[in-house]
Amino acid sequence: MNTIYVLPKDLNDALKNLENSIISSLKLSSFRFTVEFNFEGLKFNKIGITIYKILANYYNNKKIKKNVFLTYSDPGAVALAQRDYPDIKENIFTFKGFNESIYIDQDESILISILPQPYDFDTFEPMCDNFKGLHYTLNPKFEDANIGIGSVIRERRKNFVKTWYNVYFLQPIDNGALMHSYPNNWLLFKEINKRYLFKKEFDERPDNETIFVNL
């Protein structure tokens, strides 16, 4: 019997799926995970704090000591997050600040990074290399074809990208939507009369040509 997959009806529904994906990812041997919500109008701090609460509550309920941290590229973003979430302001850092903190090599640390961009690579990659714990990053953009870089650096970035495993992805596309909610496969939905109907699943993220052929 074929599984009937359903697209989340709104952000709150998607965040419930995200919780299941994150908890499921804790059983994997990998330790670097991406979460991607690719549509307009999102408040990424809300999603970031949701990931924070999922992880903190999970380990608190199991009475396992873990410290969860949020990291951002610049001090301005850190200041805004500390203002909005004063209860955890001591757990919010810049990439550079966390890399220089005492928590970078502590076994009980868990890291969440928000929106790292290609121009952040020189501070983001060293933090990731020095941090050996569980690490989630929200909507990362590790590469940009518009930025002129040498072939050696480009290859380094490609190898870095390969160290990350996606656990949640949601994106509207022309005439449909693409979703990945671990442990499920990648799911393609077709839009028909403003309804999204499950079309096909894939073991890996389908490329644009595969999506086009199947829609």
Side-chain angles (χ1 to χ4, degrees):
M1 182 176 177
N2 292 332
T3 302
I4 303 300
Y5 295 107
V6 179
L7 200 67
K9 63 181 183 293
D10 55 28
L11 179 59
N12 288 332
D13 201 21
L15 292 178
K16 291 177 184 176
N17 290 339
L18 173 63
E19 179 171 8
N20 179 67
S21 295
I22 288 178
I23 298 304
S24 297
S25 74
L26 298 176
K27 302 173 184 177
L28 292 169
S29 58
S30 303
F31 61 92
R32 288 179 176 174
F33 301 108
T34 64
V35 173
E36 298 180 58
F37 287 80
N38 292 322
F39 43 95
E40 298 294 328
L42 288 179
K43 295 181 178 179
F44 287 103
N45 271 356
K46 177 181 179 180
I47 300 173
I49 200 67
T50 297
I51 299 172
Y52 178 97
K53 290 177 179 177
I54 290 169
L55 291 164
N57 290 340
Y58 175 83
Y59 286 106
N60 285 341
N61 290 338
K62 289 186 171 293
K63 294 182 170 51
I64 299 174
K65 179 177 173 54
K66 293 289 182 180
N67 293 320
V68 185
F69 298 91
L70 289 171
T71 59
Y72 296 81
S73 62
D74 65 89
V78 167
L80 287 174
Q82 289 176 333
R83 181 201 66 188
D84 292 341
Y85 307 106
D87 292 347
I88 62 166
K89 67 179 183 179
E90 301 300 325
N91 290 47
I92 303 175
F93 291 83
T94 61
F95 301 150
K96 185 175 185 293
F98 187 79
N99 192 32
E100 295 171 350
S101 76
I102 62 172
Y103 307 109
I104 188 69
D105 57 2
Q106 292 186 358
D107 292 339
E108 63 267 22
S109 295
I110 298 176
L111 190 55
I112 303 163
S113 297
I114 312 296
L115 304 176
Q117 299 297 303
Y119 47 77
D120 299 319
F121 195 77
D122 288 343
T123 55
F124 186 71
E125 186 201 31
M127 178 189 72
C128 295
D129 286 345
N130 289 329
F131 182 68
K132 306 303 181 185
L134 197 59
H135 191 174
Y136 293 81
T137 183
L138 175 60
N139 277 48
K141 190 175 182 182
F142 297 132
E143 299 178 281
D144 189 341
N146 295 322
I147 296 179
I149 56 176
S151 59
V152 173
I153 297 177
R154 186 176 292 109
E155 189 65 24
R156 187 176 117 204
R157 292 192 180 194
K158 285 183 178 180
N159 290 334
F160 178 73
V161 170
K162 292 176 183 177
T163 66
W164 296 85
Y165 180 81
N166 180 268
V167 292
Y168 196 84
F169 183 98
L170 186 59
Q171 178 178 333
I173 55 179
D174 289 341
N175 303 315
L178 182 64
M179 177 180 178
H180 179 227
S181 182
Y182 181 82
N184 293 330
N185 285 331
W186 288 80
L187 309 176
L188 182 63
F189 294 83
K190 183 177 179 65
E191 183 183 8
I192 302 176
N193 297 326
K194 297 184 178 181
R195 296 179 60 203
Y196 288 89
L197 303 179
F198 171 65
K199 183 71 174 176
K200 191 170 183 178
E201 64 181 301
F202 304 88
D203 292 337
E204 298 180 346
R205 179 178 176 175
D207 58 25
N208 290 338
E209 182 178 354
T210 301
I211 290 172
F212 178 79
V213 168
N214 284 279
L215 287 181

